[in-house]
Amino acid sequence: METLSASTLSWVFTKQGRLADAERVALARAQQIEPGFRSRPEDLALWGVLLLRAATAAVRQKKHDTVKQLLRMANGAAESMGQDLNVYATPFGPTNAGIAKVNFLVEMEQSDEAVRSARSIPNLESLPPTWRARFHVDHALAYNDLGKDRASEGALLLAEEDAPEWMRYHSTSRRLVKELRGRASRRDTVLGLADRLGLVG
């Protein structure tokens, strides 16, 4: 399917650092399949995935206005669907759009809004464990940016609970745990988390 190929190509370009190409490919296909009022939820989901692919490339280019516009469109698609779907092994819906928004807000250093948005995400349990863990790490990053170490630790512990092996090898998680450990008292739970991640010494 052309839409899935465009989504995959956009993802590959993003991983390669070809951000302008990633954004262009995703937006071009999104424009071709833009749904109407009577579109099926599956069509809305595929369109929403492409919008989030484009937003991922845009946020890394510091194109914050573009990111916000794409997020509004993706959220509109998710609200119209009213449910989370897994189309060709690609999830999209209110939950996925919500965690993507938190991630983009963190990347745009809008931590206050990221924390507020994180409170209203529905149905987190529907996501794969590593997706939930990534969301909790984003939540932890936002709290850390706001100087709320205990809340950041709590979010990291939730991430570890969901995906302990993923946490051991996720560079952002390890960096944040190390940073929190440097400020921790002897009673702080982050010290135990640091030991479990092998961040000793």
Side-chain angles (χ1 to χ4, degrees):
M1 175 182 281
E2 289 184 42
T3 298
L4 290 177
S5 296
S7 176
T8 301
L9 182 58
S10 177
W11 179 82
V12 170
F13 281 155
T14 298
K15 289 294 184 182
Q16 293 175 342
R18 296 173 58 182
L19 300 176
D21 288 334
E23 182 183 359
R24 175 184 52 78
V25 166
L27 284 179
R29 185 59 186 167
Q31 289 170 357
Q32 290 172 356
I33 68 164
E34 184 171 356
F37 290 113
R38 297 183 179 179
S39 294
R40 299 179 308 150
E42 291 81 3
D43 296 328
L44 288 164
L46 290 170
W47 187 62
V49 167
L50 289 169
L51 296 176
L52 294 183
R53 292 279 193 231
T56 299
V59 77
R60 296 180 187 181
Q61 298 173 84
K62 310 295 185 185
K63 297 168 66 173
H64 294 179
D65 288 342
T66 299
V67 174
K68 290 177 181 178
Q69 179 184 4
L70 292 169
L71 269 177
R72 282 194 296 271
M73 295 163 67
N75 284 331
E79 288 173 8
S80 295
M81 290 167 59
Q83 61 181 317
D84 296 308
L85 292 180
N86 202 326
V87 183
Y88 300 106
T90 303
F92 184 79
T95 307
N96 184 241
I99 65 168
K101 181 179 180 179
V102 171
N103 175 257
F104 295 142
L105 288 169
V106 169
E107 293 219 28
M108 292 188 290
E109 299 180 346
Q110 297 178 17
S111 298
D112 273 324
E113 190 174 348
V115 168
R116 286 195 298 272
S117 295
R119 296 183 185 128
S120 61
I121 297 174
N123 202 23
L124 273 176
E125 291 304 312
S126 69
L127 295 173
T130 54
W131 288 49
R132 292 198 305 270
R134 176 69 244 203
F135 162 75
H136 292 310
V137 170
D138 282 334
H139 207 178
L141 288 166
Y143 278 131
N144 183 61
D145 189 50
L146 296 171
K148 298 182 177 181
D149 286 10
R150 290 298 178 90
S152 186
E153 291 172 22
L156 285 168
L157 289 171
L158 289 173
E160 183 192 30
E161 184 179 323
D162 277 332
E165 285 302 312
W166 177 87
M167 283 280 287
R168 288 186 64 83
Y169 300 103
H170 187 248
S171 59
T172 300
S173 303
R174 292 173 64 85
R175 175 185 58 76
L176 181 54
V177 171
K178 193 171 183 179
E179 183 179 333
L180 289 167
R181 185 191 64 182
R183 300 195 297 266
S185 72
R186 290 185 178 181
R187 298 187 306 276
D188 285 347
T189 54
V190 74
L191 298 177
L193 177 56
D195 287 344
R196 293 192 294 276
L197 295 182
L199 299 171
V200 294

